[in-house]
Amino acid sequence: MMSKEIQDNNNNNGILKGALIGGIIGAAAALLLAPKSGRELRSDIKHKAGEAAEVVKTKASEIADTTQCAVQAVTEQASTIKGKVQDFAEAAKQRASETANRAHDAVETVADKARDAAEVVSTHGREVVEQVGTAGKEAADKAEEGAHKAINKAADNT
């Protein structure tokens, strides 16, 4: 929106500059081509130069005011944008921090569950090893007993 206003002012300034320059050239041509005495001509030139100087001062003041308004508007917009960018950066930083905290908590939870599972496996693993060892020993004892009975029976049959 502000860009359009600046562009319109630039177009208007171009038109004003063209009109001013054309007016000065036209006035100078009229003065120089009019049949007047030297003194009269110099007086007219001085008078027209004074009028042109006043027009230039007025237009320069208007352009300075317009430029100052544009600078102020751009400064305000830059300040607003800066504030929005800072707010966005702060929000992003906060979200990143919250995400990191949640990830840390999740890792801690998983690590705790893994430790618990390892403890369960370790405890039950010992029990299973003991049971297998006991069952193996009993099986070996029964096999030995069965072998002795078979030997004794074979010896009795001979």
Side-chain angles (χ1 to χ4, degrees), residues 13 16-17 23 49 51 70 74-75 86 88 109 132 145 151 158:
N13 289 339
L16 290 174
K17 288 177 189 174
E51 289 176 3
V74 168
T75 301
Q86 287 175 334
F88 179 77
T109 300
V132 168
E145 185 180 317
I151 293 172
T158 25

Side-chain angles (χ1 to χ4, degrees), residues 69-149:
C69 289
V71 167
Q72 184 178 359
V74 168
T75 301
E76 289 172 3
Q77 286 180 348
S79 179
T80 300
I81 290 169
K82 178 184 174 188
K84 288 179 180 179
V85 167
Q86 287 175 334
D87 292 346
F88 179 77
E90 186 61 35
K93 183 179 175 183
Q94 182 65 31
R95 282 185 296 227
S97 177
E98 291 169 1
T99 300
N101 288 338
R102 284 195 302 268
H104 181 267
D105 293 345
V107 167
E108 287 294 321
T109 300
V110 169
D112 289 344
K113 290 187 182 223
R115 283 188 208 99
D116 292 346
E119 183 63 32
V120 168
V121 167
S122 175
T123 301
H124 289 302
R126 283 190 210 115
E127 291 173 4
V128 169
V129 168
E130 288 174 10
Q131 289 173 356
V132 168
T134 302
K137 192 173 185 183
E138 289 174 0
D141 289 345
K142 286 183 182 180
E144 183 182 7
E145 185 180 317
H148 284 301
K149 284 183 183 180

